[in-house]
């Protein structure tokens, strides 16, 4: 007779990994290397489903920084050939040439079409203390045909990312008034302007791009390319802050050259007249003009000229809804683990890099569950793939009982070459500079490195060149 569910030995159960993206698959590779059975649950139909949605975007990390060492060991015996480490893949390249082959090696350890809808402890809701840590995790899954399943797990590694929950336009974190009603003219993704249908949507039209990170830089640069060939194409770049020496990144001082070049391409879009910057503008309402276009009004009463389209790139946020029965300890601002938050909090860090971190910074009051990858950063826009790889190396070592390895730092992150600009909110009148200067370097000069662009969310922490 089989043992009752309440007495299932957790060591006989798999470690569930949520998400078959870069960090989730790396976690599975490290678990396999440690002799721990992984089970990867992916909502999409293929590996890297979210990555494929921005497949047209080129990363600013090179291949040498995008392949996890444990994953490479799994792939090597299959005859897989590592791409040239000095080149920069697109999202589609990353998914097709690395993520899918890795998932194929893992075989039936990866399940597709499995959406996680809840995580808890067997027989214990969030309230119950008694014998809690001895119970396995229960992971509730909904399959594509609507069937529901319950999977028992010894541990849970949530690498589901933040792609499905983009932040809205409103500077208070809520949708601007009228945002939902205007949804047909609003996109929360970097447009694929090589797609003829998408190009037709923006070519010859006036587009508002809202945001100040790498994704906004990419949109500005690609729309500027369209403007060179399509008369009437123009971008209005809306920033909640002013323009300062760090607005366009670190330029040639950036230790990731493609990241620096991306900011410079955005600067060129403005300098060459393809985009106008509107600073200190915090959108309050979006309403239709008489001709059907959209008018954005700021909290200070300013009304912008009508635009045809709006591209919102104001960041991403974690979906914590399916973790409501788990005892997490998250920072109240970033929604990141409290030990990690001080290292990545943009309210505090205007200069300096993120220190490598692992299982201790990622732990919660509920032992055995970890949020890793972009999800671990909550709302902080500073994540790199190699950070996630180091996270899961440490986490898996901890699950295996190898505390020495789990505590060891095995990563040095490249710095941005950017200094200056404190916090997330300032007076644009005090930050605008016409010379583009900063504390680290003179006004950056344009550089050419091929096709610079950035993956949404694949961003690096700031660094001070002092």
């Amino acid at each position: 007779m089989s043992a009752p569910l309440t007495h299932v030995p957790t060591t006989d159960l798999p470690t569930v990994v949520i998400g078959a993206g870069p960090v989730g698959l790396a976690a599975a590779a490290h678990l396999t290397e440690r002799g721990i059975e992984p089970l990867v649950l992916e909502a999409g139909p293929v590996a890297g489903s979210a990555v494929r949605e921005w497949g047209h975007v080129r990363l600013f990390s090179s291949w040498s920084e995008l392949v996890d060492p444990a994953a490479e060991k799994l792939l090597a015996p299959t005859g897989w050939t590592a791409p040239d480490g000095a080149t920069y893949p697109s999202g589609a390249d990353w998914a097709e040439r690395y993520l899918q082959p890795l998932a194929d090696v893992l075989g039936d350890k990866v399940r597709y079409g499995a959406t996680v809808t809840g995580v808890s402890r067997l027989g214990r809701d969030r309230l119950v203390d008694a014998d809690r840590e001895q119970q396995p995790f229960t992971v509730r899954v909904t399959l594509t045909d609507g069937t529901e399943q319950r999977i028992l797990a010894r541990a849970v590694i949530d690498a589901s990312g933040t792609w499905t929950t983009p932040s809205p336009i409103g500077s208070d974190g809520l949708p601007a008034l009228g945002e939902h009603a205007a949804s047909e003219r609003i996109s929360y993704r970097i447009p694929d302007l090589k797609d003829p249908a998408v190009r037709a949507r923006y070519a010859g039209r006036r587009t508002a791009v809202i945001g100040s990170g790498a994704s906004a830089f990419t949109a500005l640069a690609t729309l500027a390319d369209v403007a060179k060939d399509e008369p009437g194409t123009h971008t209005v770049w809306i920033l909640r802050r002013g323009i300062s020496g760090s607005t366009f990144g670190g330029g040639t001082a950036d230790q990731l050259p493609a990241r620096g070049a991306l900011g410079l391409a955005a600067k060129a879009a403005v300098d060459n007249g393809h985009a106008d910057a509107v600073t200190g503008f915090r959108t309050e309402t979006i309403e239709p003009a008489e001709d059907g276009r959209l008018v954005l009004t700021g909290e200070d009463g300013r009304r912008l000229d009508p635009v045809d389209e709006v591209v919102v790139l104001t960041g991403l946020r974690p979906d914590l809804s399916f973790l409501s029965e788990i005892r997490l300890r998250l920072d109240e601002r970033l929604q990141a683990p409290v030990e990690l938050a001080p290292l990545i909090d943009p309210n505090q860090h205007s200069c300096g890099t993120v220190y490598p971190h692992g299982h201790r910074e990622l732990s919660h009051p509920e032992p055995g569950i970890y949020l890793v990858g972009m999800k671990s950063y909550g709302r902080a826009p500073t994540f790199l793939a190699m950070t996630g790889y180091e996270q899961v190396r440490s986490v898996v070592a901890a699950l295996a009982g190898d505390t020495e390895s789990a505590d060891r730092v095995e990563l040095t992150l490249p710095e941005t070459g950017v200094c200056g600009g404190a916090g997330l909110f300032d007076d644009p009148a005090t930050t605008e500079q016409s010379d583009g200067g900063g504390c680290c370097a003179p006004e950056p000069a344009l550089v050419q490195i091929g096709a610079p662009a950035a993956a949404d969310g694949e961003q690096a922490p700031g660094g001070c060149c002092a």
Side-chain angles (χ1 to χ4, degrees), residues 80-460:
W80 178 79
T81 302
D84 181 352
T87 60
Y88 298 83
S90 66
D93 294 334
W94 201 14
E96 294 167 6
R97 300 180 62 188
Y98 169 63
L99 298 179
Q100 193 62 58
L102 177 55
D104 292 343
V105 170
L106 291 165
D108 59 8
K109 297 174 183 177
V110 181
R111 294 185 189 175
Y112 301 109
T115 300
V116 174
T117 58
V119 180
S120 188
R121 289 279 190 178
L122 182 62
R124 307 289 188 274
D125 64 19
R126 185 184 183 121
L127 181 64
V128 178
D129 289 336
D131 200 29
R132 184 178 187 86
E133 295 182 14
Q134 282 68 53
Q135 301 306 314
F137 289 95
T138 61
V139 181
R140 187 68 60 86
V141 175
T142 299
L143 306 181
T144 51
D145 63 0
T147 303
E148 292 186 311
Q149 293 182 350
R150 181 178 67 175
I151 299 170
L152 300 184
R154 62 180 289 187
V156 176
I157 299 175
D158 182 358
S160 59
T162 56
W163 176 251
T164 59
T165 46
S167 296
I169 293 175
S171 60
D172 54 8
L174 302 174
L177 298 176
E179 184 170 343
H180 292 314
S183 60
E184 290 187 1
R185 290 181 176 265
I186 299 175
S187 171
Y188 299 86
R189 310 300 187 199
I190 301 170
D192 181 3
L193 296 174
K194 293 182 179 179
D195 182 322
V198 176
R199 187 182 180 91
R201 177 174 175 176
Y202 297 95
R205 298 190 176 187
R206 182 177 169 87
T207 299
V209 172
I210 305 176
S212 59
S215 296
F217 291 169
T218 304
L220 288 169
T222 54
L223 285 166
D225 285 340
V226 174
K228 296 172 185 177
D229 301 322
E230 302 282 354
T233 304
H234 195 76
T235 304
V236 181
W237 183 24
I238 299 175
L239 298 100
R240 295 170 181 169
R241 301 184 63 184
I243 293 181
S244 69
S246 62
T247 296
F248 297 100
T252 55
D254 196 319
Q255 291 181 9
L256 288 178
R259 181 175 57 192
L262 178 60
L264 297 175
K267 185 177 186 299
V270 176
D271 291 346
N272 295 334
H274 299 306
D276 296 324
V278 179
T279 61
F281 191 91
R282 300 178 178 93
T283 308
E284 183 174 31
T285 65
I286 301 175
E287 52 192 3
E290 293 183 0
D291 60 3
R293 295 192 293 170
L294 299 177
V295 175
L296 279 63
T297 303
E299 294 175 356
D300 57 4
R302 280 184 289 168
R303 289 172 61 88
L304 303 184
D305 291 338
V307 296
D308 298 285
E309 300 287 342
V310 180
V311 176
V312 185
L313 301 169
T314 53
L316 303 162
R317 54 184 61 175
D319 177 9
L320 301 169
S321 61
F322 61 85
L323 300 174
S324 61
E325 294 305 314
I326 292 296
R327 298 175 178 180
L328 300 177
R329 184 169 58 224
L330 299 175
D331 179 78
E332 65 273 12
R333 294 160 296 181
L334 270 66
Q335 297 178 295
V338 293
E339 298 297 328
L340 173 59
L343 303 179
I344 61 176
D345 187 353
N347 287 290
Q348 305 298 326
H349 295 287
S350 63
C351 193
T353 190
V354 176
Y355 294 101
H357 54 276
H359 73 110
R360 296 195 184 276
E361 292 84 0
L362 298 170
S363 63
H364 296 278
E366 194 83 69
I369 186 164
Y370 298 92
L371 277 57
V372 299
M374 283 191 65
K375 191 163 187 176
S376 72
Y377 270 44
R379 299 191 182 201
T382 51
F383 184 76
L384 279 175
M386 52 186 158
T387 301
Y389 296 160
E390 173 63 8
Q391 286 180 341
V392 295
R393 184 205 62 77
S394 173
V395 164
V396 171
L399 291 174
D402 187 353
T403 305
E404 180 183 357
S405 177
D407 288 341
R408 191 167 57 242
V409 173
E410 297 184 0
L411 176 67
T412 301
L413 292 170
E415 296 190 358
T416 63
V418 174
C419 282
L424 295 176
F425 192 95
D426 58 20
D427 179 358
T430 65
T431 60
E432 290 197 42
Q433 300 177 13
S434 60
D435 62 1
C439 76
C440 293
E443 181 177 358
L446 290 175
V447 296
Q448 296 293 327
I449 60 161
D456 191 358
E458 214 272 338
Q459 303 173 18

Side-chain angles (χ1 to χ4, degrees), residues 3-14 122 134-136 152-154:
L5 284 179
T6 53
H7 293 90
V8 174
T10 57
T11 53
D12 295 341
L13 301 173
L122 182 62
Q134 282 68 53
Q135 301 306 314
L152 300 184
R154 62 180 289 187

